Amino acid sequence: MTQAIKLDLTKFYKPEYSAPKKPTLLHIGWGEYLQIAGKGAPGSESYIEKIGALYAAAYTMKFASKEAGKDFVVCKLECLSWGPGGDASDLAECPMEDWSWELMIRMPDFISSRDLSSATKKIQGKGDTPGIEALRVVGREQDDCIQMLHVGPYDQEGSTLESMRDFASREGLSPHGPHHEIYLSDPRRVEAARLKTILRMYVTGASSP
Amino acid sequence: MSREGTIEDYRSRLLRVLEYIQDHLDQPLTPGELAEVAHFSPFHFQRIFRGMVHESVMGHIRRLRLERAAIHLKSEGESVTDIAFGAGFEVLETFSRAFRAHFACSPSEFRKRHRPIRFPEAQSSIHFGEPDALQDLWTEGGDMETLDVEIRKIPAKRVAYVRHVGPYQECGKAWETLCSWMGSQGLMRPGMEMMGLSYDDPDITDPERLRYDACASVDVDFEPEGSVGKKTVRGGDHAIYRHRGPYEKLSESYRRLYGEWLPQSGREAADAPCVEVYYNDPDSTPPDELETDILLPLQ
């Protein structure tokens, strides 16, 4: 019997998911995501609830897809966030309650809204699952960004962002758009000082290769 | 009971087992019988022994039988075959091979040598017929680096599970069966916990016979189906130790939990298997970053 190949998008798009500890410029291509939007402080009850819904649907779809002969690795959680101004520039100044965010997990492009609705129906059928009806499968083109690995607590991202901003001005790039984080570690299990997070800062002004 | 009290208590119970073993080497000894001698739960006895004596209980018995055979070889009269049989070997060749592996010469060469008997070193430093060494067991206990263990009351949990029998490295199949079924039933719900129950000690049990249950907590009622069963994982006080790193190194953490922590804890293990709680998806987490809690049930 031949072993079915398990698709691991983080290996397939390696440069996008392995950031070094110094700023690098790269282009993030089109990708499909399981996504849920919300507002309020990250870590709030509704935020945690939505993460639960996201993983429940992601794994339900993974195993349904595996049954159908197309296995894939469930990627790490990502979060886009922005302030009332619509981008990352005012995140540091405004209260966290005013933050908007989208939580997402990258999906293979063979996963569709139909897979999602069949998964959510199954989960809802077993009992109320807050947030699950707000999940979407969306495609997004993400553009040029500066990417860098941050090691440590989330509230100490400042110095990492500082090096990213310095890099941007040296290269003549202008930051725009939301703040993007990819969580390589689980904050509930890993001590804050060891948390690994990929940070992305979207920029304009990069010359096309 | 005070902490010093339990160290003394665990030590004296193990000494009772060690003496019992030395006195009954010509009888078939089983781990169950020895657990009873020391009043340890059969679920945990072999791991406690391994942790404190630094040798598996069956390995210890086998080595002592070889040492005793060596002494018998030096005294005239008994045939090598009789000695082999007395050491629990039914076939002379198997005895000769085991003897050679341990003493680096054949039983007959050993008999002819004009040298005082010297036993090869053993990790436990306990040898046949040396009661003094027995008394030294675990006197260094107080100097050990303390393990970061937390005692917490855990609620009982309803789980769906799939039983795996075989090497632990191959338990992936049970997980796949369980997860595919959970997904198809809509039971992969927020807050689901993935747990493993291991009933045997891989240091002792033949890999083909290791029993392991892949379990996932389920917060609603469900009907078991096919190889997927339903049961409740016991609640109550547990000693919890966080293992960081590859699953292959879990047995190292078990040894420390049973050998270093339990004897000085002031507590007694309950009659139930240990529970492992997995916090990462091994598909997307590097082995060095895997986090696993080992839950040792306490009385």
Side-chain angles (χ1 to χ4, degrees), chain B residues 35 64 76 150 158-159 211 265:
Chain B
L64 256 51
E76 295 301 316
E150 186 194 346
R158 171 174 41 215
V159 297
R211 294 163 303 160
S265 65

Side-chain angles (χ1 to χ4, degrees), chain B residues 184-222:
Chain B
S184 71
Q185 301 295 305
L187 290 173
M188 291 206 142
R189 297 168 51 78
M192 175 177 67
E193 269 193 299
M194 312 302 260
M195 289 171 272
L197 300 183
S198 30
Y199 296 87
D200 309 289
D201 182 344
D203 284 333
I204 293 130
T205 308
D206 174 23
E208 296 307 321
R209 299 173 69 164
L210 290 169
R211 294 163 303 160
Y212 173 88
D213 288 341
C215 310
S217 67
V218 180
D219 60 352
V220 292
D221 199 17
F222 68 95

